[in-house]
Amino acid sequence: MCIRDRNSPQLEGALMPRLSWTMEQRATVKRYMLLATLFTVAGVALGVFLVASGNAGGWVVLGMCLCMWSAGALLVGSVRRDQP
């Protein structure tokens, strides 16, 4: 039977605290969220145009854009809440 001590590499990751995001990582997340928001606005505009012109595919474009943006926003929000 093997007994692990506190200096064992298997336990090292479990005992180390989670570090928070650096300023560069926060800036990168803000930049990517801004870019995602701009693409979402463009996608929503395209979807509204397609729906207004009678194309049923506009609803699909609207749904895809909003679902992808909201999933990204929820992911970033949950990661932010988990940071110290």
Side-chain angles (χ1 to χ4, degrees):
M1 188 155 138
C2 179
I3 299 174
R4 296 183 196 149
D5 61 337
R6 288 185 63 81
N7 297 328
S8 175
Q10 289 90 3
L11 294 177
E12 190 173 313
L15 298 176
M16 292 183 64
R18 262 184 98 168
L19 300 175
S20 63
W21 287 350
T22 64
M23 293 295 284
E24 292 84 11
Q25 288 171 329
R26 288 182 189 154
T28 302
V29 169
K30 282 184 181 180
R31 188 171 45 249
Y32 284 148
M33 282 306 293
L34 176 64
L35 186 65
T37 301
L38 292 176
F39 278 118
T40 301
V41 168
V44 167
L46 175 66
V48 167
F49 172 75
L50 289 174
V51 169
S53 64
N55 190 339
W59 291 109
V60 174
V61 171
L62 278 172
M64 285 176 34
C65 287
L66 294 177
C67 284
M68 287 189 291
W69 184 85
S70 60
L74 287 172
L75 175 69
V76 169
S78 70
V79 170
R80 251 187 216 156
R81 278 191 302 274
D82 290 343
Q83 298 296 320

